[in-house]
C-alpha cells in the first residue's frame, strides 16, 4: 500500500540490486493474535474495511459464520470459524483471524517478476506496491498461506498491508485498535514474543498443555503471530499450515533454474557466434551447381 | 510469386506465410515471456507497453502460435519422419560442423538436425500451451489448485527455455547454411544448393519431373 521510500526497504521483488537500507535501527514489528481471547465479533474485519476504504460485493450465505466465505481483493482479513470436537468429546469453537502473515522470508516476494511490486520494509512489513504490479498471479504461487488475491477489476494483487501507512506514522494497525477483547496486540516483535510467553503460560495453567506460539521457522518467522491453544496442531484452525515453507517448486524455479536457463541461452548464442567466426558459413560451390545441372539436363540428352 | 527460372521451390507461398506467422509469434512470446522471467530482461516488457500489457498479451499470442504451428505440423510431418539416413548423418555430424561434405550421406528433404527442431517444437509447443493455460490467471486460476499452478509455471519456464535453445539452433543453422534463408523468404533454392544439402530430395524431384517442394508437386526442374 504505502510506498514509504526506498531506504526503508530491505527486500525488493525482481531486483538485482538490494536497496541500501539505512533504517537498520528500525525495530521489527509484529502483530500477535491471541486466538484464545478472540470472540469472533469481526470488529477487526470491519475496521480493516473502514481504514482501507474497501467495500466488497455483498455475497451469499454459505452455511457458515465465515463472511465473506474467503479472502478477496477487497477483504484482506477474515475470521475463519472451525467447530472441533476434542478428545473429551467437547465442542471447541476455534476462531482464527486469517490474513497475510508478513513472513520474514516472503514467498510472494521471491516469486514476483515485477521489479518493486513487492517490498519488505526494515520493520518487517511485506507490502504490495500496486502501481508496479502486473497481475500475473506469481505471488499466489509463492505464498505458503494462500493469501494474495488478484482483483478482476484492475488486475492487481491485494492483501493485508499490516497498515503500513498507519505504522509508518506511529499508529497501530486498524484491527488492533478495534479489537474489544485485546486479542490482537501490536508492538515490537521482541515484546510480542514475551507477551505471548505469558499468555502461553496462562493457557497451560488452565489445562491447554499444548498451547504455544505460532511463529513458523520455515519462513524465517512471521510478523503476524498466533497464540494457539493447540500449537501442536495448527491445521485445526481452518487449515493453518503445520509447517509452512516456500514450496520447493518455487524455490527451484526462482533459485537454481533461472540462472541456469539464462546461462544456457547465452551459451547457445555465443557458441553460434564462435562457430561462425571459426568455420564460417556453408556456401554452395560452383561444382554443386554443375553437378546439379548435369543431373537435371544430362549432357547425353537422356534423363 | 515468380520464382527465379531454373530454381527449385523449397517452400510454397502458403507454407512461408504459415512459417513466418509462427516465427513472429514465437519471437514475441520469447520477448514477452523473458521479460517476466528475470529482472535483467524485464525491460523487454517496454516493447509491449509495460508489465500489465505484456502479461495480458503473452497468452493470446500463444494461442495464435499453437494454431499456426498446427499448420506447420500438417505440412511438414511427413518429410520429418525418421529414416535410416538420420543415423548416418548424425555419425557424420563432426564433418557437417566443419562444412565438409565428404562422407556425409545423401539426404531427402530434411536432415536429422532439422527433424530434431521439428519434433522438439512439436513436443514443446503443446506443453507450453497446456501449462500456459493453467497459469493464465485471469481466466483459468479457479480451475486448478495452487500446487498444480506451481508445477505448471516451473514446467512452462523449463519448456520455454528448451524451446528458446532449439530456436537459437534453428536460426543459426538458417544463417550458417547459405541459401536456406531464401528458401523460406522467397521460397526457392538453387539446384546446387539442393545437390549439396539434400541430394536425395533433388534426385526425387528430378525423377518425378517436379520443381518442388515435393515430388508430387507440379512443374519441371529444368534449366532455362
Ligand atoms: C503456447 C501457448 C502459450 C501460452 C498459453 C502461454 C502462457 C503463459 C502465461 C499465462 C504466462 C504467465 C504470465 C502471463 O500471465 O502472461 C507465461 C509465462 C511465460 N511464458 Fe508463456 N505461453 C505460451 C507459449 C510460450 C512460448 C512459446 C514461450 C517461449 C518461447 C513462452 C515463454 C514464457 C516465459 C519465459 C514465461 C515466464 C516464465 C517465468 O516467469 O518463469 N511461452 N506464459
Ligand atoms: S503470508 Fe503470503 S502474502 Fe503474506 S508475506 Fe507471506 S508469502 Fe507474502
Amino acid at each position: 500500500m504505502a510506498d514509504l521510500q526506498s531506504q526503508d526497504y530491505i527486500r525488493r521483488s525482481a531486483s538485482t540490486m538490494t536497496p541500501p537500507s539505512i533504517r537498520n535501527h528500525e525495530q521489527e514489528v509484529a502483530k500477535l493474535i491471541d486466538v484464545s481471547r478472540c470472540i469472533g465479533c469481526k470488529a477487526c474485519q470491519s475496521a480493516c474495511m473502514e481504514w482501507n476504504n474497501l467495500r466488497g460485493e455483498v455475497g451469499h450465505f454459505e452455511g457458515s459464520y465465515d463472511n465473506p466465505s474467503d479472502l478477496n481483493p477487497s477483504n484482506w482479513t477474515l475470521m475463519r470459524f472451525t467447530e472441533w470436537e476434542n478428545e473429551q468429546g467437547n465442542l471447541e469453537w476455534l476462531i482464527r483471524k486469517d490474513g497475510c502473515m508478513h513472513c520474514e522470508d516472503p514467498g510472494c516476494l521471491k516469486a514476483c517478476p515485477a521489479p518493486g511490486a513487492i517490498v519488505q520494509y526494515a520493520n518487517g512489513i511485506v507490502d504490495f506496491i500496486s502501481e508496479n504490479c502486473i497481475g500475473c498471479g506469481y505471488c499466489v504461487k509463492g505464498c505458503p498461506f494462500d493469501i494474495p488475491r488478484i482483483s478482476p477489476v484492475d488486475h492487481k494483487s491485494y492483501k493485508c498491508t499490516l497498515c503500513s501507512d498507519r505504522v509508518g506514522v506511529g499508529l497501530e494497525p486498524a484491527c488492533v485498535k478495534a479489537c474489544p477483547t485485546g486479542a490482537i496486540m501490536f508492538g515490537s516483535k521482541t515484546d510480542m514474543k514475551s507477551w505471548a510467553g505469558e499468555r502461553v503460560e496462562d493457557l497451560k495453567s488452565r489445562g491447554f498443555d499444548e498451547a504455544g506460539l505460532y511463529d513458523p521457522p520455515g519462513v524465517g518467522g512471521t510478523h503476524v503471530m498466533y497464540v494457539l491453544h493447540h500449537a501442536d496442531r495448527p491445521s485445526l484452525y481452518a487449515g493453518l499450515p503445520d509447517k509452512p515453507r516456500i514450496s520447493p517448486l518455487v524455490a527451484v524455479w526462482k533459485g537454481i533454474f533461472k540462472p541456469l536457463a539464462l546461462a544456457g541461452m547465452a551459451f547457445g548464442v555465443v557458441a553460434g557466434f564462435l562457430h561462425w567466426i571459426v568455420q564460417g558459413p556453408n556456401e554452395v560451390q560452383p561444382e554443386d551447381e554443375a553437378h546439379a545441372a548435369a543431373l537435371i539436363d544430362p549432357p547425353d540428352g537422356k534423363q | 510469386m515468380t520464382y527465379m527460372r531454373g530454381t527449385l521451390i523449397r517452400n510454397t507461398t502458403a507454407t512461408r506465410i504459415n512459417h513466418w506467422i509462427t516465427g513472429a509469434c514465437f519471437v514475441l512470446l520469447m520477448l514477452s515471456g523473458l521479460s517476466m522471467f528475470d529482472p535483467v530482461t524485464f525491460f523487454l516488457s517496454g516493447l509491449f507497453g509495460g508489465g500489465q500489457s505484456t502479461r495480458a498479451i503473452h497468452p493470446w499470442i500463444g494461442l495464435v502460435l499453437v494454431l499456426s504451428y498446427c499448420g506447420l505440423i500438417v505440412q511438414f510431418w511427413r518429410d520429418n519422419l525418421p529414416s535410416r539416413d538420420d543415423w548416418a548423418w548424425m555419425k557424420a555430424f563432426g564433418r557437417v560442423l566443419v562444412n565438409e561434405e565428404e562422407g556425409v550421406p545423401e539426404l531427402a528433404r530434411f536432415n536429422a538436425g532439422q527433424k530434431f527442431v521439428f519434433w522438439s517444437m512439436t513436443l514443446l509447443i503443446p506443453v507450453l500451451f497446456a501449462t500456459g493455460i493453467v497459469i493464465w490467471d485471469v481466466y483459468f486460476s479457479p480451475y486448478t489448485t495452487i500446487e498444480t499452478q506451481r508445477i505448471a509455471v516451473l514446467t512452462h519456464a523449463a519448456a520455454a527455455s528448451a524451446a528458446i535453445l532449439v530456436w537459437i539452433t534453428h536460426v543459426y543453422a538458417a544463417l550458417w547454411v547459405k541459401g536456406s534463408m531464401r528458401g523460406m523468404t522467397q521460397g526457392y533454392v538453387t539446384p546446387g544448393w539442393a545437390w549439396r544439402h539434400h541430394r536425395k530430395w533433388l534426385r526425387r524431384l528430378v525423377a518425378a519431373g517436379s520443381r518442388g517442394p515435393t515430388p508430387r508437386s507440379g512443374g519441371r526442374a529444368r534449366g532455362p
Side-chain angles (χ1 to χ4, degrees), chain A residues 22 29 35 56 60 63 80 106 121 167 185 188-189 192-193 204-205 211 214 216 245 287 295 302:
Chain A
I22 60 153
V29 296
V35 171
H60 296 277
R80 294 191 187 271
Y121 305 123
V167 173
M185 309 289 285
S188 75
K189 180 146 182 180
M192 289 303 107
K193 275 170 120 168
K204 283 191 171 156
S205 74
Y214 186 82
R245 57 170 182 158
E287 309 87 271
L295 179 72
K302 61 183 199 304

Side-chain angles (χ1 to χ4, degrees), chain A residues 47-74:
Chain A
C48 177
M49 290 170 65
E50 196 61 31
W51 175 258
N52 294 300
N53 228 338
L54 299 167
R55 301 290 183 277
E57 296 252 321
V58 176
H60 296 277
F61 180 59
E62 307 271 353
S64 122
Y65 278 95
D66 297 13
N67 178 17
S69 59
D70 195 9
L71 294 168
N72 66 52
S74 41

Side-chain angles (χ1 to χ4, degrees), chain A residues 11 30 53 131:
Chain A
R11 283 197 175 90
N53 228 338
E131 67 185 45

Side-chain angles (χ1 to χ4, degrees), chain B:
Chain B
M1 177 85 194
T2 47
Y3 300 98
M4 286 268 289
R5 281 210 291 163
T7 59
L8 301 169
I9 302 170
R10 180 75 174 157
N11 293 293
T12 63
T13 307
T15 307
R16 295 188 325 266
I17 292 175
N18 194 167
H19 173 272
W20 288 111
I21 292 175
T22 310
C25 287
F26 191 91
V27 169
L28 293 173
L29 282 161
M30 184 169 63
L31 295 173
S32 54
L34 280 178
S35 75
M36 292 175 285
F37 184 59
D38 191 86
V40 301
T41 42
F42 185 79
F43 73 96
L44 294 170
S45 62
L47 298 172
F48 301 86
Q52 276 272 354
S53 36
T54 306
R55 184 268 307 152
I57 204 169
H58 175 95
W60 288 107
I61 306 174
L63 213 60
V64 180
L65 174 83
V66 169
L67 294 177
S68 172
Y69 196 74
C70 285
L72 290 187
I73 295 179
V74 169
Q75 297 176 65
F76 286 136
W77 71 273
R78 195 183 291 271
D79 287 325
N80 277 291
L81 292 176
S83 79
R84 271 180 225 290
D85 299 328
D86 297 336
W87 187 236
W89 184 84
M90 283 188 268
K91 278 198 283 200
F93 189 64
R95 291 160 182 278
V96 175
L97 268 184
V98 297
N99 296 337
E100 204 179 298
E101 303 300 314
E102 289 301 311
V104 178
E106 294 194 3
L107 295 172
R109 184 147 179 228
F110 295 122
N111 64 36
Q114 294 165 305
K115 291 179 185 178
F116 168 77
V117 170
F118 174 83
W119 289 112
S120 303
M121 289 300 189
T122 303
L123 173 78
L124 292 169
I125 288 174
V127 169
L128 284 163
F129 181 62
T131 54
I133 294 290
V134 173
I135 58 172
W136 196 347
D137 207 82
V138 193
Y139 304 114
F140 300 103
S141 57
Y143 304 111
T144 50
T145 64
I146 293 176
E147 190 62 9
T148 308
Q149 294 171 18
R150 288 179 182 136
I151 297 171
V153 75
L154 179 59
T155 313
H156 194 82
S161 307
I164 291 171
L165 281 175
V166 172
W167 175 82
I168 292 172
T169 316
H170 177 63
V171 171
Y172 180 67
L175 296 172
W176 165 37
V177 181
K178 289 285 155 196
S180 311
M181 195 61 101
R182 192 172 51 198
M184 198 45 94
T185 51
Q186 284 139 289
Y188 67 86
V189 290
T190 66
W193 184 93
W195 173 270
R196 187 173 173 90
H197 302 298
H198 298 279
R199 203 168 297 166
K200 257 189 193 167
W201 177 63
L202 174 66
R203 289 193 199 284
R204 283 177 194 165
L205 292 188
V206 171
S210 163
R211 200 181 166 186
T214 69
R216 279 159 286 123
S217 322
R220 275 188 75 78
R222 279 200 162 271

